[in-house]
Every structure is written in C-alpha cells, then in structure tokens.
C-alpha cells in the first residue's frame, strides 16, 4: 500500500495519530521536501518516529518514482507531505503511476495552509482561487497571478497568495557544468511578495491594461508567518506597509492574503488587531471597503 | 488557555499528536457538535481520550459561552471542532469573547473538507468560493448559492458545495410548546443537493434570469462521501445522474463539487475513474469542457 500522509504545518507533533502509526510500521518512509517545509529538521522527525526518513526531491518524485513505489504491492510505503497531501501541490502523477502498477493507495489528510489561513479571522467562504508567487529574476517575471487576482477582486473575494520556496536549486553555472552543487534554500517573504505585486501592477498600468488597476499601494492585506505553529504571526496593513514588514513577521514560511471588497466588518475588526498602523487601517477601511459589499 | 483543536474528518485517530496531548491534560473538554460530525460516536472519543467529553450545542456556544470559558485564564480548556477549527465555520465569536476576558488562545489545525476535497483529483487552485446548501422547505428555498456559483462558473472555476446537517432540531410544534424534544439528525445527501440545485436552476430560467442558465442537468459534478475516512467514496457524473447516486455513495457526510470550464484534462481523467457512466462522461467532457479553458 502507498500511504500519502499529511504532516500538518509546523512540527513533528502535527502528524495525526493515524499517520504516526503508519509511519512507525511502514517498510520505507519518504519525505517530500521541495514544495513546502516543516519548521523542524528531518533529524527531529527521524528521532520522533524512530525511523529513517528518505528525502524525496523533485527529481526523485518526478523521474524516479518507481524507486519510491518499489514492491508497494506487498509492503507499506509512507510518502510524507508537509500540509495536506492534496493541498497546494497534488501528487497526482505519483498516484496515477501507483494506480498503473496496481498499488493500492490510501491518504491521511492533515491541515493545509488553505484552511489554516482562517486563523487570520477571514472567512474561508470569502476566498476566491488561490494563486502562487514565484521569485522574479531580471528577465523572468511571470504575471499570470495578476489576472487571477483580478478575477477574484471583480467578485469582491480575498486571494491567498502562496509564496515560492527554492530548495536544492543549482546555479546556472553549476547546472551547465553538471556540478551537483546546490544553492542555500530560499523562502520568499511577505515583503518580497508585496513588492513584486506592486511591480507588476505598475507595469500593467504603464502598458495601459486595466487603467484603474487591480490593486495598489493602499490595498489592504495580511502577512502571515509560520501559520499553525507556536510562533505564528500576522501583520496587517497596506501592500506598501507590508513591503517593510518582514522583520515583524520573522522567519519562514510566509503567506499573504489580499483582502476583497466583500470583507465583512467582523473580519476587518479581527484583522485590525494585527495592523502595523491601526489609524491607517481604519482610514482605508472606511474609504475603500466599508459598505462596498 | 483556550485551545481550539481540529479533529480531522473521520475517526478518533485523526486528531494530531499535539491535539491529543492537550486533550488528555485539559481541565475540561468540549466537542462542538452542530456544524459537522465525525464518523464515530462521542463514547468512542471518550474512551480513546480517557476523558469525559461535554457536547457543546449551538445554544451553549452562542448563548452560554461563558460556561465554556469559565476560569480559562487559569486552567486549560479544550474546544474540539470536527475538521479544522477555522474550516467551514469559524468560531470567531468564541475567540472574541475569550479575548475580551483576557484568556490566551491557541489553535491546533487539522484537515478540512476544503483541502481534503483534493482527493477527487481536482486541483485546489481551480476552486472558486465555497458555498453552502441548506435543506429546502415548502416555503423556504434560499438561493444565494446560485449567484455565487454563477460567479465561479463565469471564471471557469470549480465550486465546492457543503451540505446542511440538522442536529438537535425541534419541530415547530415542540418549539412552540417549549418541549425540549429533538428530531432525529438529518444529513443532506448528494442526491438531495443535486435535485435542489436543478430546482433552483429551473426556477431561475422560468423567471428569465440568466436565460442560458448557470448549470444544467448535464453539468459534470462529483459526489463525495466520508472524505478522508476508510470508506471514502466518490461518484462522478452529470447533476441529473447524481440525483440518483445516493445508494452508490452510502452514508453521511456528503459533499458535492460542480466542475468549472477550466477543468484540466488530467483532472477529468482522474474524476472519470469514478463515473457512473464513463461513456456519458466522455461525451459531455468533449462537448462542453475540453479545450474550453
């Protein structure tokens, strides 16, 4: 049996009892470690489980999945995923490959950022589609998120923005020379995300697309850090304010929510508690959101 | 401390290790039992936790929350919620009340139907806002879900429909006479939901609103039962087919997903595995969805 087991969002004790029992008796235990991370190291998991944990990088999952699935018709293989196995990234390919090999599959769900983000006080019913933000480079600034946010904002809905992480990436030079040397991991911050959003907004306005803009420096948003963990932290304010909020938020992982026009007064009251500047929050709330549902 | 602890979706072993440790040492343990249910009885939880569990009905949470919060400045109170504490229903009121009483609050996230629904093979990124469906009566057929679904479908997104449950409801007669006699619990099925959706669509067409309709008898959807549990079951087909799929799906809880035009071919391939009639699925997929992104 192939077990896809969610680990939750924070530390080794966020696994469910059901998941832990499977991990302790599985023949092999893999940890998917390229789309998200826990706030603890692999060694902590290994000592907590009393088991060796094999790191599964993107290459292994996408190109060598048969190693992961070896003999899973006869023995139990646990494939651990931070968050929920069907959260931000589904592992459809692995499941389809297992199906093709007649391997039975079972899933153990767990918390996902997609529901845990409710800890901001925003109603999950008021969220539109979730978008991803990748690290821009000088020459590559993919802006498909912008149209998705426009769609959400036209309806008045919130947008959860999931932020890029770069784990086990090679520099172009090392890749070209075939050297398996990897860069240190990078985790996008709320400040970087807010700055990239404003950069694209500026670019779109200059191109004359959507003259009124989809959002702007004074749009209200909430930065979230280490959601579900003991050191969980929220900071709310304008996109411009959030460009400089990384110090307040602390270490990774970060996410961002852009508020929709349909924001209920209770949601605003709750989010206001985290505001960088409550007076500024109130001023913009009254001007741009209150009663605009 | 007030702990809001998610129980996950299925049985007593879906609690996280962190949550279980808190439950076992808390001074009092409450179970919120009116917005969702686990697939096991309270007595199973009590024997698994080795603790008495107090059922918190809507009346207690909304009108007598100070009983729940009593002395939580000094002792630990565990408030258990099926799914994620911030999932389908947030308990903002209880949290705000605790804040006002200077009670510290901590949340233990868990799986929510809002991410576990990814087990259908549909990408969570392709979902719009979630809607709720309540039991219609002869005189009360609230249709606000219809406009929300229209918004999602205009963008091409999937819609997750969460289905009503009625627990500890009084009949009108018993309520009028002040008799605390409660009706047996009722859980809406996928068949009932699909039929109510088609009823409203028919009504809206007769009223001339949206002559082309938002969806119809041949719209593709997936019925889901006991998501995250050992007996999890999916049935896919047209809304008309799903009207008669309750026997295939089995017992509660049910949810429904209405597919959006942006459905990716891989999503369709995955969902087709559960189809009542694969040929019919293929026919409608080719006609109404394929290449319509």
């Amino acid at each position: 049996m192939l077990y896809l087991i969610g680990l939750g969002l924070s530390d080794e004790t966020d696994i469910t009892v059901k998941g832990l029992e499977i991990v302790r008796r599985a023949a092999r235990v893999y940890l998917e470690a390229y789309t998200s991370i826990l706030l603890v190291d692999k060694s902590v998991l290994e000592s907590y489980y009393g088991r060796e944990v094999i790191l599964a990088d993107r290459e292994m999952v996408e190109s060598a999945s048969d190693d992961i699935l070896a003999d899973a018709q006869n023995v139990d293989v646990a494939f651990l995923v931070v968050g929920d196995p069907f959260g931000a990234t589904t592992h459809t390919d692995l499941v389809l490959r297992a199906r093709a090999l007649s391997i039975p599959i079972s899933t153990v769900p767990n918390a996902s950022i997609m529901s845990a983000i409710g800890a901001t006080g925003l109603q999950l019913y008021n969220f539109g589609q979730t978008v991803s933000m990748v690290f821009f480079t000088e020459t590559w600034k993919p802006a498909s998120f912008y149209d998705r946010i426009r769609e959400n904002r036209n309806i008045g809905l919130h947008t959860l923005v999931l932020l890029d992480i770069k784990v086990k990436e090679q520099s172009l030079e090392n890749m070209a020379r075939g050297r398996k040397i990897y860069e240190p991991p990078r985790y996008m911050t709320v400040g970087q995300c807010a700055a990239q959003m404003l950069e694209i907004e500026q670019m779109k306005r200059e191109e004359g697309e959507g003259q009124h803009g989809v959002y702007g420096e004074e749009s209200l948003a909430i930065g979230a850090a280490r959601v579900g963990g003991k050191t969980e932290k929220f900071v709310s304010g304008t996109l411009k304010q959030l460009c400089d909020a990384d110090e307040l938020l602390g270490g990774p992982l970060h996410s961002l929510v852009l508020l929709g026009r349909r924001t209920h007064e209770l949601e605003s009251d709750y989010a206001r508690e985290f505001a960088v500047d409550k007076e500024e929050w109130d001023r913009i709330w009254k001007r741009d959101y209150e009663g605009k549902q």
Side-chain angles (χ1 to χ4, degrees), chain A:
Chain A
M1 177 90 85
L2 170 68
Y3 287 95
L4 301 172
I5 300 174
L7 294 187
L9 297 166
S10 171
D11 66 36
E12 70 281 10
T13 62
D14 287 323
I15 195 169
T16 65
V17 176
K18 185 181 285 173
L20 184 59
E21 284 168 0
I22 296 165
V23 168
R24 290 198 167 146
R25 65 175 162 73
R28 297 190 306 280
V29 181
Y30 295 91
L31 171 64
E32 189 273 79
Y34 58 94
T35 59
S36 190
I37 54 152
L38 280 184
L39 308 178
V40 295
D41 287 334
K42 188 186 82 152
S43 60
V44 174
L45 296 184
E46 290 188 318
S47 92
Y48 189 71
Y49 301 154
R51 297 299 311 274
E52 184 203 358
V53 171
I54 306 161
L55 276 189
D57 57 21
R58 191 184 296 273
E59 205 184 323
M60 181 189 283
V61 177
E62 292 181 358
S63 317
S65 62
D66 283 3
D67 293 351
I68 298 173
L69 298 174
D71 202 31
Q73 293 90 346
N74 305 305
V75 300
D76 288 340
V77 172
F79 186 78
L80 310 183
V81 179
V82 175
D84 185 85
F86 293 106
T89 303
T90 67
H91 293 85
T92 315
D93 284 354
L94 188 66
V95 170
L96 289 174
R97 185 73 193 129
R99 267 194 196 168
L101 296 168
S102 303
I103 295 168
I105 300 151
S106 181
T107 304
V108 181
N110 207 323
S112 158
I113 184 66
M114 290 197 177
S115 52
I117 197 66
T120 53
L122 299 177
Q123 298 280 338
L124 294 182
Y125 285 96
N126 292 341
F127 281 76
Q129 59 199 315
T130 298
V131 304
S132 294
M133 177 70 75
V134 300
F135 282 111
F136 286 180
T137 68
E138 274 306 305
T139 52
W140 193 62
K141 303 188 179 192
S144 62
F145 73 85
Y146 188 79
D147 296 324
R148 302 279 163 121
I149 292 181
R150 186 208 308 271
E151 289 168 343
N152 286 343
R153 282 179 75 84
N154 281 345
I155 314 178
L157 298 175
H158 309 316
T159 305
L160 170 61
V161 187
L162 300 178
L163 310 191
D164 204 3
I165 76 171
K166 291 282 186 203
V167 180
K168 219 179 162 185
E169 297 281 320
Q170 289 169 284
S171 67
L172 282 176
E173 197 192 334
N174 284 328
M175 204 184 292
R177 293 173 187 246
R179 292 191 295 224
K180 300 232 163 190
I181 300 173
Y182 302 101
E183 303 298 302
R186 291 190 298 152
Y187 308 100
M188 188 184 288
T189 65
V190 161
Q192 291 169 319
C193 173
Q196 291 193 174
M197 286 174 69
L198 290 175
E199 184 183 347
I200 293 296
E201 178 61 55
Q202 180 63 26
M203 207 183 76
K204 294 283 186 184
R205 285 186 199 209
E206 282 165 14
E207 288 170 359
E209 245 191 81
Q211 283 97 353
H212 304 294
V214 167
Y215 49 81
E217 290 190 347
E218 296 207 330
S219 296
L220 295 180
I222 305 178
R226 302 171 305 286
V227 173
K230 281 191 195 101
T231 62
E232 178 179 85
K233 173 91 181 172
F234 302 111
V235 174
S236 61
T238 64
L239 279 180
K240 189 159 170 30
Q241 287 171 335
L242 291 186
C243 286
D244 302 312
D246 286 347
E247 217 163 303
L248 284 169
L249 282 163
L253 297 176
H254 288 191
S255 316
L256 183 145
V257 184
L258 185 66
L259 267 63
R261 164 177 47 80
R262 266 191 208 163
T263 305
H264 190 275
E265 193 164 349
L266 271 179
E267 294 177 280
S268 173
D269 287 353
Y270 204 103
R272 178 186 185 276
E273 289 291 308
F274 318 123
V276 182
D277 177 341
K278 290 195 168 68
E279 282 181 25
E280 182 75 348
W281 180 276
D282 292 341
R283 185 180 72 79
I284 294 172
W285 165 257
K286 277 186 204 309
R287 189 191 66 192
D288 295 343
Y289 294 82
E290 193 174 34
K292 298 285 195 303
Q293 291 159 44

